[in-house]
Amino acid sequence: MGEAEPGHDSAQHHRLMEGLRAYGANYTEFTRRFAAWLGVHSTDAAALMEIFYAEDRGAPLSPARLSERISLSSGATTALLNRLERAGHIVRTREHVDRRVVTLTSSPRIQEPARKFFGPLSDRMAAAMSDYPPELLQQFESFLHHLCGAMETQLEQQDPDA
């Protein structure tokens, strides 16, 4: 592991990194439980989560981008999307000017169950965040943005053979 810079509290860095790791593990567990609740494979649920989040950002995913996000080959992603579409969980559309571009959206059929499953968690998270002043949340948002950027840079540059 990397060394802390002089003047920085390495114990605090460790606690923060452990907190983020625990949050990531809990996120994974919620995705696993969502999969079990829906009766789908955990990879299918992870794909649904990516589709939901992309919709929330106003930037629906293409199959290729989803494939990158969940680390599946294009063939495996196509099989996954076929399963999700047959189950009525997603819709593939060609709304783009270039009709070759496929957009993935959640179907109305899955939106209500997803709200039912994740609503209580969302409410708890909102309540937890309401305990902090907006300025501190802005700092935390900036902190997370920087950490994600550092991880993305490393992922882009990582040589698996190194």
Side-chain angles (χ1 to χ4, degrees), residues 23-85:
Y23 181 86
N26 286 342
Y27 174 88
T28 300
E29 178 62 13
F30 267 97
T31 301
R32 188 196 64 73
R33 289 183 185 190
F34 183 55
W37 188 71
L38 282 177
V40 301
H41 189 275
S42 60
T43 305
D44 294 14
L48 278 170
M49 299 299 296
E50 291 294 333
I51 292 167
F52 292 147
Y53 290 139
E55 286 177 316
D56 285 348
R57 289 189 311 269
L61 293 174
S62 68
R65 182 67 180 131
L66 176 64
S67 177
E68 292 170 6
R69 297 288 307 149
I70 61 175
S71 300
L72 288 181
S73 68
S74 62
T77 300
T78 298
L80 177 148
L81 292 173
N82 288 342
R83 285 192 306 273
L84 292 176
E85 193 169 43

Side-chain angles (χ1 to χ4, degrees), residues 19-152:
L20 289 168
R21 187 213 56 78
Y23 181 86
N26 286 342
Y27 174 88
T28 300
E29 178 62 13
F30 267 97
T31 301
R32 188 196 64 73
R33 289 183 185 190
F34 183 55
W37 188 71
L38 282 177
V40 301
H41 189 275
S42 60
T43 305
D44 294 14
L48 278 170
M49 299 299 296
E50 291 294 333
I51 292 167
F52 292 147
Y53 290 139
E55 286 177 316
D56 285 348
R57 289 189 311 269
L61 293 174
S62 68
R65 182 67 180 131
L66 176 64
S67 177
E68 292 170 6
R69 297 288 307 149
I70 61 175
S71 300
L72 288 181
S73 68
S74 62
T77 300
T78 298
L80 177 148
L81 292 173
N82 288 342
R83 285 192 306 273
L84 292 176
E85 193 169 43
R86 276 192 309 273
H89 298 323
I90 66 157
V91 176
R92 290 185 254 202
T93 59
R94 296 178 188 275
E95 299 168 359
H96 195 271
V97 173
D98 180 349
R99 301 288 294 160
R100 294 173 294 176
V101 176
V102 174
T103 301
L104 305 172
T105 57
S106 61
S107 73
R109 180 176 169 185
I110 192 62
Q111 292 168 1
E112 185 54 37
R115 276 191 287 277
K116 181 179 178 185
F117 186 86
F118 288 105
L121 173 62
S122 181
D123 293 345
R124 286 179 190 266
M125 300 286 275
M129 284 189 269
S130 72
D131 290 342
Y132 297 91
E135 302 79 26
L136 184 57
L137 292 175
Q138 178 60 45
Q139 288 178 332
F140 189 63
E141 187 177 349
S142 176
F143 170 71
L144 288 175
H145 177 77
H146 283 99
L147 285 182
C148 287
M151 287 183 85
E152 288 167 6

